[in-house]
Amino acid sequence: MPLTQLIYTSRPFGFDAQTLDDILLGARRNNRRDGITGALICRGDLYVQMLEGERVAVTATFARILRDDRHVEVTLVWCGDTPSRLFPEWDMRDDPARSWMWDQHAVRQGAAREAGAGAYRRLFDRVSQEPQEAMAW
């Protein structure tokens, strides 16, 4: 069965450390159960996430995210089949937004909305090659 990757963006609603911890703990538990891997890049004004797994599981997870009131302006960026996972060891990798990504002003001006699927796929390719920063918990 082919693997699917899905990338979406959203704007956090009520972003704080506890909300992020709740999202990550739930995602890791559900993703482990459903055979999904991926990465979440987050900061106070932007979530960018890649989900990887069987298409049915990935689309069901995305449907849950669409109903989650902690996300606003959820936008599907890309969904397609892939020969392999970028994050095979991560139920949900947690990464801060990097300095080479858009700053908050650029996001407010629409940079995240205007970036194409290729830009997001390159972003996750790059993140997958970087070491995971030490987690606080």
Side-chain angles (χ1 to χ4, degrees):
M1 191 168 281
L3 290 171
T4 294
Q5 288 178 330
L6 182 147
I7 301 171
Y8 77 89
T9 64
S10 68
R11 191 169 47 84
F13 180 78
F15 183 85
D16 60 26
Q18 184 60 53
T19 300
L20 180 58
D21 285 348
D22 290 347
I23 288 171
L24 290 169
L25 288 172
R28 288 178 178 135
R29 179 185 62 247
N30 294 337
N31 290 355
R32 193 172 306 116
R33 175 195 69 211
D34 298 337
I36 293 176
T37 57
L40 172 64
I41 299 170
C42 53
R43 64 184 194 201
D45 63 338
L46 179 67
Y47 289 143
V48 180
Q49 186 170 27
M50 174 183 275
L51 301 170
E52 308 172 304
E54 292 185 11
R55 183 175 295 269
V56 171
V58 168
T59 56
T61 298
F62 186 58
R64 282 194 306 272
I65 291 165
L66 288 170
R67 294 187 305 269
D68 188 331
D69 62 4
R70 297 171 295 189
H71 297 267
V72 181
E73 299 172 9
V74 178
T75 303
L76 177 64
V77 173
W78 184 79
C79 184
D81 292 338
T82 184
S84 61
R85 297 174 189 250
L86 282 178
F87 302 95
E89 304 299 320
W90 293 96
D91 296 321
M92 185 49 54
R93 180 173 166 159
D94 167 29
D95 276 291
R98 305 288 201 249
S99 61
W100 46 264
M101 288 180 61
W102 311 286
D103 62 23
Q104 289 183 340
H105 176 74
V107 169
R108 282 192 303 274
Q109 297 301 313
R113 283 189 312 275
E114 295 168 7
Y120 282 102
R121 293 187 67 201
R122 286 187 298 278
L123 180 148
F124 282 106
D125 285 340
R126 186 170 175 179
V127 168
S128 73
Q129 300 302 311
E130 294 180 354
Q132 169 74 43
E133 293 183 6
M135 293 199 260
W137 38 278

